[in-house]
């Protein structure tokens, strides 16, 4: 059983989306987090962009967690167990991966830590379900067919919810939110 999995999902769903934040400056991450809270967005992901080297993401997560405790802050673009370990140690409340990496998912599930792996295909959805996961990141949703693809997935996977990202913007976010199998939207457009 993953600790806080249902709580994290409920917080994501009640937020106005998950803001994708790309900064390596802790002070800037805190300012962004406070601005998002003022706009009613209570979830954000700090994107790791350089998985092999230090990029400041750890410090950004730590700074937001300490300075803005009401913000649900997660780590994104997690591509390996070692990167997941760093993000968890920094204070991330959840992990988002861009793709489905069984080793990373196994590590997070083994630590009972909330993970939302990126998926593209029914095969990847079923692999995630084998780990007991029912909420997944669908990326890049627009390229995959947008709401039509989501509707197609709802038939064989009625119990699965998606965090949709990749082509979601202020103009189409509500269209995605209206899909029954969408937990929430995610994108950098929420930071503007």
């Amino acid at each position: 059983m993953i600790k806080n999995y249902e709580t994290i999902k409920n917080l994501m769903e009640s937020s106005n989306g998950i803001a994708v934040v790309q900064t390596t400056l802790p002070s800037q991450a805190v300012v962004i987090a406070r601005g998002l809270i003022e706009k009613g967005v209570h979830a954000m992901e700090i994107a790791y962009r350089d998985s092999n080297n230090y990029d400041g993401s750890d410090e950004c997560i730590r700074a937001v967690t300490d300075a803005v405790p009401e913000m649900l802050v997660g780590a994104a673009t997690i591509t390996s167990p070692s990167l997941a370990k760093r993000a968890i140690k920094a204070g991330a409340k959840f992990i988002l991966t861009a793709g489905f990496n069984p080793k990373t998912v196994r590590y997070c599930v083994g630590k009972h830590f909330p993970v939302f792996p990126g998926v593209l295909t029914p095969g990847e959805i079923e692999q995630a379900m084998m780990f007991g996961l029912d909420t997944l990141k669908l990326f890049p949703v627009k390229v995959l067919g947008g709401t039509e693809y989501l509707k197609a997935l709802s038939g064989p996977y009625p119990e699965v919810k998606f965090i949709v990202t990749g082509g979601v913007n202020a103009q189409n976010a509500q269209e995605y939110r209206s899909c029954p199998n969408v937990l929430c939207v995610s994108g950098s457009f929420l930071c503007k």
Side-chain angles (χ1 to χ4, degrees):
M1 182 70 174
I2 296 175
K3 295 178 197 167
N4 301 320
Y5 189 60
E6 294 302 320
T7 301
I8 297 292
K9 291 189 314 185
N10 290 336
L11 290 169
M12 287 176 172
E13 190 171 29
S14 66
S15 180
N16 287 319
I18 302 172
V20 176
V21 177
Q22 297 180 41
T23 183
T24 57
L25 303 173
S27 59
Q28 187 177 36
V30 169
V31 169
I32 292 168
R34 287 181 175 142
L36 288 168
I37 292 287
E38 288 176 14
K39 288 175 35 178
V41 177
H42 295 269
M44 67 188 284
E45 58 181 78
I46 302 288
Y48 281 72
R49 292 297 184 207
D50 186 353
S51 61
N52 297 317
N53 299 306
Y54 167 81
D55 69 356
S57 298
D58 297 339
E59 283 73 20
C60 288
I61 290 170
R62 196 170 291 113
V64 171
T65 300
D66 291 344
V68 192
E70 65 273 29
M71 175 59 75
L72 177 65
V73 61
T77 323
I78 301 300
T79 56
S80 68
S82 61
L83 204 53
K85 182 178 182 178
R86 276 180 47 195
I88 293 167
K89 186 177 179 183
K93 303 296 184 221
F94 62 93
I95 298 289
L96 291 164
T97 69
F100 188 84
N101 180 329
K103 288 181 181 179
T104 303
V105 173
R106 187 175 296 110
Y107 174 81
C108 293
V109 170
K111 294 287 183 187
H112 307 286
F113 196 81
V115 60
F116 304 91
V119 297
L120 293 170
T121 66
E124 290 173 333
I125 292 168
E126 291 180 17
Q127 287 180 66
M129 291 170 69
M130 288 176 59
F131 282 98
L133 303 174
D134 63 4
T135 303
L136 311 170
K137 176 179 169 180
L138 189 60
F139 170 79
V141 69
K142 184 177 179 183
V143 173
L144 295 168
T147 57
E148 292 300 313
Y149 189 60
L150 284 159
K151 288 174 190 170
L153 291 174
S154 67
Y157 307 108
E159 68 280 13
V160 176
K161 294 273 190 175
F162 296 99
I163 299 164
V164 294
T165 189
V168 180
N169 56 47
Q171 291 72 40
N172 64 17
Q174 191 52 47
E175 182 181 357
Y176 284 108
R177 286 182 179 118
S178 68
C179 293
N181 57 346
V182 169
L183 180 79
C184 65
V185 299
S186 175
S188 57
F189 74 95
L190 292 164
C191 291
K192 295 181 175 153

